[in-house]
């Protein structure tokens, strides 16, 4: 090759290389740079919750279904649980192996120093690790109170009253807070009442913080005809980083009570009797009126009458009178009649009779 041709070839070579490289970059379907392999790190847990009862701490969370690369996890995941009284001092509580997507749960039994002394924050963390022991970081902190739990409630008893169910127990402190767990024992009705005025269905289990004096509380939110079971626990509270943390005792032994309505309505008051003279068109009569009774389950009233030496007789019939008034046309001029009124509820409980009211029918 001549010297001129060799120089031309040397000048052409860089251009050809650039052209070939450009065609490779712009070519269709040509793979780019390979992606790095997935670390297979399970997603962090963000819904860890903790509840301490007595000396037991119940932890719950949801296991992730995917890793940090959004790929489905297939094998069981190593679960590391630790607790910390101070920052950067998370002590191992346990290690588990759980399947992806399942509901995680663990109960930690506090012993020794953790179950003694004054209340203080105790934080739990859950960390999910891959097969190489790596993780995407610890979960959110779930906080409970370490320290000595309040003593259990003892001597709990229940008694039915017209205003609700009265609960009593042995008090420990005049400032104590009591939590009640109420369970509905009666089976639900076969066919629930419907309509705009129907009461909402009653929850099977409710947690109540009932306002109370030392050793006594009243649960007004009950329905007569139902059976209930109560358990109680003492609750200590502490503020930590702007939120309230509770430390509760073990629940007491349960107490059962049947909420039977054996309580009559209030006694009617203000009974008055006014006689009407007989005319050619109408016979003599006596009209009665009284103050209405406001009991929510009131069915009506029964009206009674007697003369001086005769026994009481119900003159209002078998069904209660619904209005606080009654017209008695079965009277004789010149006779004096004594009246009394009682109230009756929808379960047939009848009150005592009202104070007497007497009236004499005028002679024509």
């Amino acid at each position: 090759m001549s010297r001129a041709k060799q120089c031309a070839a040397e000048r052409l070579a860089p251009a050809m290389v650039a052209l070939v490289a450009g065609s490779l970059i712009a070519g269709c379907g040509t793979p780019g740079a390979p992606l790095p392999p997935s670390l297979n790190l399970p997603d962090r847990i963000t819904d860890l919750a903790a509840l301490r009862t007595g000396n037991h701490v119940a932890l719950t969370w949801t296991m992730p279904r995917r890793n940090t690369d959004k790929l489905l996890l297939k094998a069981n995941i190593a679960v590391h649980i630790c607790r910390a009284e101070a920052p950067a001092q998370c002590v191992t509580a346990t290690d588990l192996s759980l399947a992806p997507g399942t509901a995680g749960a663990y109960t930690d039994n506090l012993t020794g120093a953790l179950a003694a002394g004054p209340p203080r924050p105790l934080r739990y963390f859950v960390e999910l690790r891959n097969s190489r022991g790596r993780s995407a970081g610890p979960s959110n902190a779930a906080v409970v109170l370490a320290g000595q739990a309040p003593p259990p409630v003892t001597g709990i008893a229940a008694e039915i009253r017209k205003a609700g169910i009265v609960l009593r127990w042995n008090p420990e402190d005049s400032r104590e807070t009591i939590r009640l767990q109420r369970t509905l024992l009666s089976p639900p009705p076969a066919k629930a009442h419907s309509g705009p005025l129907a009461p909402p269905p009653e929850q099977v289990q409710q947690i109540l913080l009932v306002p109370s004096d030392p050793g006594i509380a009243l649960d007004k939110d009950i329905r007569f005809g139902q059976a209930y079971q109560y358990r109680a626990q003492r609750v200590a509270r502490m503020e930590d980083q702007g939120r309230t943390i509770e430390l509760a005792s073990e629940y007491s032994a349960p107490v059962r009570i049947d909420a039977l309505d054996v309580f009559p309505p209030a006694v009617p008051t203000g009974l008055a009797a006014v006689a009407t003279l007989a005319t050619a068109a109408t016979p003599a009569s006596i009209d009665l009126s009284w103050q209405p009774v406001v009991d929510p389950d009131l069915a009506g009233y029964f009206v009674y009458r007697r003369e001086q030496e005769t026994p009481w007789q119900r003159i209002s019939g078998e069904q209660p009178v619904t209005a606080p008034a009654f017209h008695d046309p079965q009277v004789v001029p010149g006779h004096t009649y004594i009246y009394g009124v009682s109230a009756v509820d929808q379960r047939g409980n009848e009150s005592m009779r009202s104070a007497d009211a007497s009236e004499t029918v005028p002679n024509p």
Side-chain angles (χ1 to χ4, degrees), residues 228-315:
Y228 298 96
Q229 175 182 279
Y230 290 88
R231 297 193 301 164
Q233 61 179 175
R234 289 188 171 87
V235 181
R237 288 191 170 107
M238 179 179 178
E239 294 294 324
D240 177 67
Q241 297 182 359
R243 63 177 180 174
T244 302
I245 312 173
E246 295 183 347
L247 173 55
S249 71
E250 298 280 1
Y251 273 108
S252 68
V255 59
R256 176 196 167 114
I257 185 168
D258 294 315
L260 300 178
D261 185 2
V262 295
F263 306 102
V267 178
T269 60
L271 177 62
V274 178
T276 300
L277 183 65
T279 67
T282 60
S285 63
I286 294 178
D287 287 300
L288 305 173
S289 64
W290 57 90
Q291 294 296 320
V293 174
V294 295
D295 287 48
D297 62 344
L298 181 73
Y301 309 91
F302 288 140
V303 180
Y304 296 85
R305 187 186 75 181
R306 70 181 178 90
E307 296 188 58
Q308 291 294 338
E309 302 299 331
T310 61
W312 288 101
Q313 290 185 336
R314 191 165 76 191
I315 61 173

Side-chain angles (χ1 to χ4, degrees), residues 188-242:
K191 186 177 181 180
H193 298 289
S194 58
L197 299 180
E202 194 169 10
Q203 297 182 18
V204 173
Q205 191 168 91
Q206 295 189 57
I207 301 298
L208 312 170
L209 283 175
V210 181
S212 65
D213 293 323
I216 186 170
L218 173 65
D219 181 9
K220 298 179 180 179
D221 187 25
I222 60 110
R223 297 181 186 179
F224 285 112
Q226 305 283 35
Y228 298 96
Q229 175 182 279
Y230 290 88
R231 297 193 301 164
Q233 61 179 175
R234 289 188 171 87
V235 181
R237 288 191 170 107
M238 179 179 178
E239 294 294 324
D240 177 67
Q241 297 182 359

